[in-house]
């Protein structure tokens, strides 16, 4: 039995590494042209400025069966806190949205009811990664909104969903490093732009990995509410900068990373159940970053737990989070209330390194396309 298992693992490692070499081929170092980055940021903000009178409407698109946790929760929370637009989660069906790799939320509005309420379409559509990237209903609805004049922002692997709606052909794009080869192959005339965490081309924007979503949303907040509003939000969230600056060179697969990833995934006997205890008013952003990072170690499955008899709590953004009862035997994973929202990721990465080793932490950083935790956070 074990000979067969290890043969399968070996074959998977080879395939994984080969796929990774093509998907994440080495890139040159990021250019140090500050003026070019500033121009890119200003062009991005200018392209996102409202075109219609009245308060903007933003639809955060979701697939009920599976939408990436931070791709959905972070944009929704940032935009709700900024209070510069009406923000709705919109999905093929109303009600619950299963998130991956962890959590579940309730309260999505279905396409039909959203369209009745907003016949001209939303001003902006945020597109997270989805467990099925080519869902016909999602692709048709997204394409329809684009024809109505909505600006589209594909977050991380949401670029794959944007592409299936026919909105990447001939355009410049960012996207998660792992998707680069796939997107170039699928979309004639498309041009990948390295070293930028967000890129706009003719009303369609894309971002790099998971951790680009907050800076991109701050750029959108700046476009709608002005630079002072964006600065205020950045300070509240603990974000030093929301420029497009991003070094793509460190991100990609090699044999060592692929082997480490698959061997850890194969060690299923080491898996554990983790719980993050939540209550009404829990910070969506901190929760999403912690749950996503812990789950991506391959060692921990994460639930949100509460003492609520209703089986749900209302997060700080107003979104309803489905919860599980507190289990005594589960590993408690903590949120650090003294930190600002996005600093929770640094804290969680430090805890992952302490528990599972630096290699595991580094893999999580690769998946999230994040340059790394601040040393001061680990030391505190």
């Amino acid at each position: 039995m074990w000979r067969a298992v290890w043969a399968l693992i070996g074959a998977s490692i080879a395939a994984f590494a080969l796929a990774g070499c093509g998907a994440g081929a080495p890139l040159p170092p990021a250019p140090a042209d500050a003026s070019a980055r500033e121009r890119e940021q200003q062009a991005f903000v200018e392209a996102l400025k409202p075109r219609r009178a009245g308060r903007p409407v933003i639809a955060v698109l979701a697939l009920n069966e599976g939408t990436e946790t931070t791709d959905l929760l972070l944009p929704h929370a940032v935009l709700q806190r900024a209070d510069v637009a009406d923000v709705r989660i919109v999905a093929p069906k109303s009600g619950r949205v299963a998130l991956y790799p962890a959590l579940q939320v309730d309260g999505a509005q279905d396409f039909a009811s959203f369209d009745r309420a907003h016949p001209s379409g939303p001003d902006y559509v945020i597109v997270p990664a989805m467990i099925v990237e080519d869902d016909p209903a999602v692709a048709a609805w997204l394409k329809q909104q684009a024809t109505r004049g909505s600006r589209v922002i594909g977050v991380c692997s949401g670029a794959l969903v944007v592409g299936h709606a026919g909105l990447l052909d001939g355009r410049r794009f960012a996207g998660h490093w792992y998707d680069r080869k796939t997107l170039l192959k699928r979309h004639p005339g498309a041009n990948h732009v390295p070293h930028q965490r967000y890129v706009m081309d003719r009303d369609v924007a894309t971002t790099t990995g998971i951790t680009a979503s907050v800076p991109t949303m701050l750029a959108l907040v700046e476009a709608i509410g002005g630079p002072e509003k964006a600065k205020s939000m950045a300070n509240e969230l603990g974000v030093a900068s929301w420029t497009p600056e991003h070094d793509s060179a460190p991100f990609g697969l090699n044999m060592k990373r692929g082997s480490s990833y698959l061997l850890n995934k194969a060690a299923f006997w080491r898996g554990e159940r983790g719980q993050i205890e939540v209550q009404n008013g829990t910070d969506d952003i901190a929760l999403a970053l912690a749950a996503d990072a812990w789950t991506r170690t391959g060692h921990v499955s994460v639930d949100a737990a509460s003492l609520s008899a209703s089986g749900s709590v209302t997060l700080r953004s107003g979104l309803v989070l489905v919860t599980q009862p507190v289990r005594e035997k589960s590993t408690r994973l903590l949120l650090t209330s003294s930190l600002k929202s996005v600093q929770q990721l640094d804290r969680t990465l430090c805890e992952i390194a302490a528990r599972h080793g630096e290699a595991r932490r580094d893999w999580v950083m690769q998946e999230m396309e994040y340059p790394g935790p601040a040393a001061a956070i680990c030391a505190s």
Side-chain angles (χ1 to χ4, degrees):
M1 173 186 174
W2 288 109
R3 183 177 297 175
V5 169
W6 284 109
L8 178 60
I9 291 172
S12 298
I13 288 170
F16 193 69
L18 287 171
C21 289
L27 294 167
D33 188 346
S35 61
R37 292 195 297 269
E38 184 176 346
R39 290 194 301 272
E40 186 72 27
Q41 180 180 1
Q42 291 307 311
F44 189 83
V45 170
E46 188 65 33
L48 286 173
K49 286 186 175 179
R51 296 171 180 167
R52 303 172 182 171
R55 186 173 169 87
V57 175
I58 301 175
V60 182
L61 188 56
L63 181 67
N64 300 88
E65 293 77 12
T67 302
E68 211 285 330
T69 304
T70 50
D71 288 0
L72 185 145
L73 292 183
L74 268 57
H76 180 266
V78 172
L79 295 168
Q80 286 283 48
R81 288 194 204 182
D83 193 26
V84 293
D86 293 333
V87 186
R88 301 285 183 270
I89 294 176
V90 185
K93 297 173 288 189
S94 62
R96 291 191 178 186
V97 176
L99 303 178
Y100 70 88
L103 308 181
Q104 188 176 39
V105 294
D106 208 344
Q109 187 174 8
D110 65 86
F111 290 157
S113 63
F114 181 90
D115 290 345
R116 287 193 296 271
H118 305 284
S120 298
D123 297 87
Y124 310 91
V125 182
I126 313 299
V127 186
M130 298 177 188
I131 199 165
V132 178
E133 64 192 46
D134 58 350
D135 181 82
V138 167
W141 189 85
L142 179 56
K143 186 173 184 177
Q144 182 183 55
Q145 306 321 308
T147 61
R148 291 173 173 172
S150 299
R151 262 72 61 80
V152 173
I153 303 175
V155 176
C156 189
S157 291
L160 297 168
V161 181
V162 172
H164 278 292
L167 302 177
L168 281 189
D169 292 3
R171 282 186 166 93
R172 299 162 67 239
F173 70 91
H176 190 278
W177 60 263
Y178 190 78
D179 301 326
R180 185 168 75 239
K181 181 179 179 182
T182 299
L183 291 169
L184 287 169
K185 183 177 180 180
R186 286 180 180 173
H187 303 292
N191 180 27
H192 174 254
V193 181
H195 306 308
Q196 287 187 199
R197 59 184 171 188
Y198 51 73
V199 172
M200 170 72 86
D201 189 342
R202 289 167 291 153
D203 291 348
V204 175
T206 46
T207 81
T208 58
I210 287 167
T211 51
S213 60
V214 171
T216 306
M217 291 306 107
L218 288 171
L220 178 55
V221 169
E222 181 179 353
I224 300 172
E228 292 307 312
K229 184 66 173 181
K231 288 177 185 177
S232 174
M233 281 303 307
N235 182 62
E236 178 183 331
L237 299 172
V239 177
S241 170
W242 61 97
T243 71
E245 183 176 1
H246 177 71
D247 185 1
S248 301
F251 299 100
L253 288 178
N254 54 33
M255 180 63 76
K256 181 178 179 181
R257 287 175 182 157
S259 300
S260 173
Y261 171 73
L262 286 165
L263 287 171
N264 275 277
K265 288 293 188 185
F268 54 85
W269 56 87
R270 290 187 287 173
E272 59 182 304
R273 297 292 297 275
Q275 286 194 331
I276 301 176
E277 293 186 26
V278 296
Q279 58 189 348
N280 289 331
T282 289
D283 186 329
D284 316 46
I285 295 171
L287 171 64
L289 289 170
D292 206 328
W294 276 114
T295 307
R296 288 179 185 277
T297 65
H299 294 304
V300 185
S301 60
V302 179
D303 292 323
S306 76
L307 299 175
S308 169
S310 67
S312 65
V313 300
T314 301
L315 297 172
R316 181 172 173 178
S317 72
L319 189 61
V320 174
L321 175 75
V322 179
T323 63
Q324 304 296 323
V326 175
R327 294 190 303 268
E328 292 299 325
K329 293 185 179 181
S330 288
T331 302
R332 292 185 66 202
L333 306 173
L334 303 178
L335 302 181
T336 308
S337 59
S338 60
L339 297 174
K340 294 184 177 181
S341 300
V342 300
Q343 293 172 340
Q344 179 62 53
L345 178 58
D346 285 344
R347 169 64 73 185
T348 298
L349 288 168
C350 295
E351 293 170 355
I352 287 170
R355 183 179 298 187
H356 299 297
E358 292 184 0
R360 205 74 317 252
R361 177 203 61 194
D362 293 347
W363 174 256
V364 173
M365 289 160 52
Q366 281 285 318
E367 284 207 1
M368 300 181 84
E369 200 161 345
Y370 183 58
I377 294 290
C378 293
S380 62

